[in-house]
Amino acid sequence: MIDIPPYPPLDPSNYDLIVVGTGVSESVLAAAASSSGSSVLHLDPNPFYGSHFASLSLPDLTSFLHSNSVSPPPSPSSPPLPPSNNHDFISVDLVNRSLYSSVEISSFESEILEEHSRRFNVDLAGPRVVFCADESINLMLKSGANNYVEFKSIDASFVGDSSGELRNVPDSRAAIFKDKSLTLLEKNQLMKFFKLVQSHLASSTENDDSTTVKISEEDMESPFVDFLSKMRLPPKIKSIILYAIAMLDYDQDNTETCRHLLKTKEGIDRLALYITSMGRFSNALGALIYPIYGQGELPQAFCRRAAVKGCIYVLRMPITALLLDKETGGYKGVRLASGQEIFSQKLILDPCVTVGLESLSSLTDQQNETLSVLVPKSMINKEKIARGVCVIRGSVKANVSNALVVYPPKSLFPEQLTAIRVLQLGSGLAVCPADMHVLYLSTLCDNDDQGIKALLSAMSNLISLPVPENRQSDSVVENDTSETKPILLWRALYVQELVKGEFGGTISSMPSPDGNLNYNEIVESAVKLYEKLMGSEELFKEETSPAENTTEEENDGGVEIED
């Protein structure tokens, strides 16, 4: 339990909106609501900004994962009590559910890491990058949050397999013709496909059907993998497009295990994001960028924007109970861990905050309806994501510091059902000391064992694991270049539950970090909730002036990207 500092009572005690948690979605909403003139109180039980999107030192990451991987025991069942001196309300106790399981943290060079432990900025929800044409970038430019964060380019993208070879992703005309792993026929096939996609996108933009080639409506509704086969693309090229450019997770060739069979229309949209990201900013080397000091800078940027607009921030302040109207059952406010009662029109909660089931039995139907978005849903068919963080000495690819590696389904072992993504980041991004790199790994999974097995396989393919790790030899793939592999210094493995957001009118719950590489769906959920909360009012409508736009065009579109 976090020690609550002796805060003075908050004044005022009434707000339009209370937001609990400083993750990306919550911070975007707080900034947008503050910019629209709403009074906002933004709370976080943690001593840092970012919640599940935070970037932390190694000790802080270790502490957070351990403290959030075991749910606290439920309090004894008892009827809800009215708040002191006010019999118009009842209070319903809240509990925190754990998002994390199977947490395993290992240090193999303790003395070195202890010396530098505070020089790390390690992401909780990695791997994650920003596409240059990502909706999060557009929102930052519109809100002015871009003034509080800087980026650097991801140098290269690769596709890996069980042999240990990392092949460049041919994502541009120049990259295609430089790629020595492609035959001349494969290069021509890939160029022809990209030209078709660009022609289709141009015709869609210009609304001109007469002079440009478009993909037929029938093809657009067909599975994307079937359309790629129709284009006579060989399996190697199909795999690159599906998993390293469109960034799909599930095996599109296996309809029995594929939970999301992508249509061509969605596939073209994903390619459009990648293509429009290439060259959007002059200083960006490719489609992908990453915030200096870690992804935790993104929610902080929106929090700073919200503070400028009058949002009040209090860290280390959990809420312990909800206040409901005794007669109508409607939401009225919250009780802070300090004991103070704060009231608001609307409430937005972190995905960890929920209501204990034992508290619901003594409530009326109207009160239960108000709390329905906070009741934990069934765990049946619940998706999870396995995440890994490695600190290594050396690089997975010579002369490359910041890189993305994708292992398509079945590329490491036959039972690999989903793609595995690996992001390597170096000291130029201020995430680790100069002679080290940080690796982030993730893969979607049905259960913890399946996810951890996949991550260990990718780790073994890329880095030198300590000798005892070879006990996993039945499920881990070694390659033939072990003498050149970087050395593992520290590692964290954990599995995160994927929780969807819930909108309930007066009380809403935000989603957990998803399994995507970018922020599009996270930002989209925040925008949709804002529209429901605020009606037709435009998001950040007065934040960017024409004069600022002129400056932005001269300054790489308003996004600061270091060379």
Side-chain angles (χ1 to χ4, degrees):
M1 183 70 182
I2 297 172
D3 293 330
I4 307 301
Y7 283 116
L10 293 177
D11 186 24
S13 59
N14 284 275
Y15 298 86
D16 295 322
L17 176 66
I18 295 175
V19 182
V20 180
T22 52
V24 173
S25 295
E26 298 94 321
S27 300
V28 168
L29 276 164
S34 298
S35 296
S36 72
S38 298
S39 58
V40 181
L41 174 64
H42 203 170
L43 307 169
D44 198 310
N46 299 296
F48 51 80
Y49 289 92
S51 296
H52 304 285
F53 289 90
S55 299
L56 304 172
S57 66
L58 296 185
D60 289 344
L61 180 81
T62 300
S63 175
F64 182 87
L65 287 173
H66 281 315
S67 62
N68 286 276
S69 60
V70 179
S71 297
S75 57
S77 178
S78 58
L81 299 174
S84 57
N85 302 321
N86 193 332
H87 297 283
D88 295 331
F89 308 125
I90 63 166
S91 64
V92 180
D93 290 339
L94 296 173
V95 296
N96 283 330
R97 64 175 168 189
S98 168
L99 290 186
Y100 305 100
S101 59
S102 298
V103 175
E104 176 194 326
I105 297 178
S106 308
S107 180
F108 307 103
E109 296 283 351
S110 299
E111 292 183 5
I112 295 175
L113 293 174
E114 286 176 8
E115 179 183 351
H116 299 290
S117 64
R118 295 291 171 182
R119 295 177 60 189
F120 288 90
N121 290 300
V122 181
D123 298 340
L124 269 168
R128 200 174 293 271
V129 298
V130 179
F131 283 80
C132 291
D134 199 310
E135 190 56 36
S136 62
I137 289 289
N138 299 333
L139 206 58
M140 291 182 76
L141 291 170
K142 191 173 183 181
S143 67
N146 58 298
N147 295 314
Y148 305 101
V149 62
E150 297 180 14
F151 297 87
K152 290 193 76 169
S153 293
I154 300 302
D155 303 324
S157 296
F158 302 97
V159 174
D161 59 27
S162 59
S163 71
E165 180 185 2
L166 299 180
R167 302 186 306 278
N168 284 291
V169 174
D171 52 11
S172 66
R173 181 184 179 90
I176 290 172
F177 284 104
K178 284 182 181 178
D179 196 321
K180 296 180 180 178
S181 68
L182 299 177
T183 65
L184 181 59
L185 176 60
E186 289 171 336
K187 290 179 180 181
N188 289 332
Q189 289 172 318
L190 191 53
M191 279 297 302
K192 183 179 179 180
F193 174 74
F194 278 139
K195 285 181 179 178
L196 172 62
V197 172
Q198 289 172 328
S199 176
H200 176 84
L201 294 174
S203 67
S204 301
T205 302
E206 298 166 6
N207 295 317
D208 181 4
D209 298 332
S210 59
T211 59
T212 55
V213 179
K214 288 190 68 174
I215 300 170
S216 70
E217 286 299 321
E218 182 181 353
D219 283 336
M220 291 291 275
E221 292 300 318
S222 69
F224 191 37
V225 65
D226 292 347
F227 177 70
L228 297 180
S229 297
K230 183 178 179 179
M231 294 293 101
R232 299 182 179 180
L233 295 174
K236 179 170 68 174
I237 300 298
K238 284 170 56 180
S239 182
I240 291 172
I241 292 171
L242 289 170
Y243 307 108
I245 297 179
M247 302 295 175
L248 297 179
D249 291 295
Y250 290 99
D251 186 351
Q252 299 294 296
D253 288 308
N254 189 336
T255 55
E256 293 183 3
T257 61
C258 181
R259 289 190 175 182
H260 182 201
L261 185 62
L262 198 77
K263 289 186 177 181
T264 300
K265 182 181 185 301
E266 299 170 285
I268 297 302
D269 288 342
R270 287 175 177 246
L271 296 187
L273 173 63
Y274 200 104
I275 291 169
T276 54
S277 293
M278 298 284 293
R280 179 180 183 182
F281 303 122
S282 59
N283 282 358
L285 299 177
L288 311 177
I289 55 178
Y290 182 86
I292 297 175
Y293 300 108
Q295 67 168 272
E297 293 297 297
L298 294 184
Q300 283 196 71
F302 284 103
C303 288
R304 288 169 180 158
R305 195 62 186 171
V308 169
K309 294 295 182 178
C311 180
I312 296 176
Y313 279 86
V314 185
L315 300 183
R316 295 186 176 90
M317 185 58 74
I319 61 171
T320 59
L322 296 182
L323 308 180
L324 304 182
D325 187 282
K326 184 180 291 187
E327 298 299 326
T328 67
Y331 163 77
K332 290 298 181 182
V334 300
R335 182 182 295 150
L336 306 182
S338 64
Q340 185 178 3
E341 292 167 2
I342 303 291
F343 302 93
S344 67
Q345 299 296 316
K346 308 279 186 179
L347 175 67
I348 295 172
L349 293 172
D350 176 283
C352 279
V353 180
T354 185
V355 179
L357 295 178
E358 67 281 351
S359 300
L360 301 177
S361 59
S362 57
L363 300 180
T364 66
D365 290 342
Q366 294 93 332
Q367 292 161 354
N368 274 302
E369 179 65 25
T370 300
L371 300 176
S372 61
V373 299
L374 302 182
V375 179
K377 303 299 186 289
S378 170
M379 290 295 292
I380 298 175
N381 296 326
K382 182 78 74 174
E383 269 191 313
K384 298 183 176 184
I385 182 167
R387 301 192 191 274
V389 183
C390 296
V391 176
I392 59 174
R393 182 183 291 113
S395 172
V396 299
K397 188 74 170 179
N399 302 316
V400 177
S401 184
N402 307 319
L404 176 69
V405 180
V406 177
Y407 290 97
K410 296 182 179 178
S411 61
L412 288 174
F413 55 96
E415 300 81 19
Q416 180 193 344
L417 299 179
T418 56
I420 303 169
R421 300 190 188 103
V422 185
L423 179 65
Q424 175 180 279
L425 302 174
S427 60
L429 284 161
V431 298
C432 62
D435 58 340
M436 303 177 193
H437 286 89
V438 178
L439 290 186
Y440 297 104
L441 305 92
S442 73
T443 189
L444 295 179
C445 57
D446 293 324
N447 58 69
D448 293 21
D449 290 343
Q450 181 192 75
I452 296 298
K453 171 184 174 179
L455 295 189
L456 287 173
S457 183
M459 289 179 189
S460 179
N461 192 261
L462 287 170
I463 60 182
S464 292
L465 300 177
V467 173
E469 298 297 328
N470 290 334
R471 70 181 186 276
Q472 301 282 346
S473 58
D474 61 332
S475 63
V476 168
V477 179
E478 281 284 358
N479 64 45
D480 298 328
T481 58
S482 58
E483 68 277 6
T484 64
K485 289 182 180 181
I487 305 299
L488 178 64
L489 305 178
W490 184 92
R491 183 184 70 192
L493 291 168
Y494 49 101
V495 177
Q496 178 215 307
E497 182 184 338
L498 294 175
V499 179
K500 294 182 178 180
E502 297 280 349
F503 177 72
T506 54
I507 302 176
S508 299
S509 179
M510 300 309 298
S512 66
D514 58 25
N516 296 324
L517 184 66
N518 65 4
Y519 295 87
N520 270 4
E521 290 189 16
I522 291 291
V523 169
E524 183 180 310
S525 69
V527 172
K528 286 182 177 179
L529 180 53
Y530 176 85
E531 291 171 350
K532 290 178 179 178
L533 290 175
M534 308 301 291
S536 59
E537 189 164 347
E538 184 183 350
L539 197 71
F540 299 115
K541 62 180 179 179
E542 298 179 353
E543 297 304 307
T544 305
S545 66
E548 287 175 330
N549 284 334
T550 302
T551 304
E552 288 172 2
E553 289 174 6
E554 297 170 353
N555 184 29
D556 218 350
V559 176
E560 188 70 27
I561 303 176
E562 287 195 5
D563 293 328

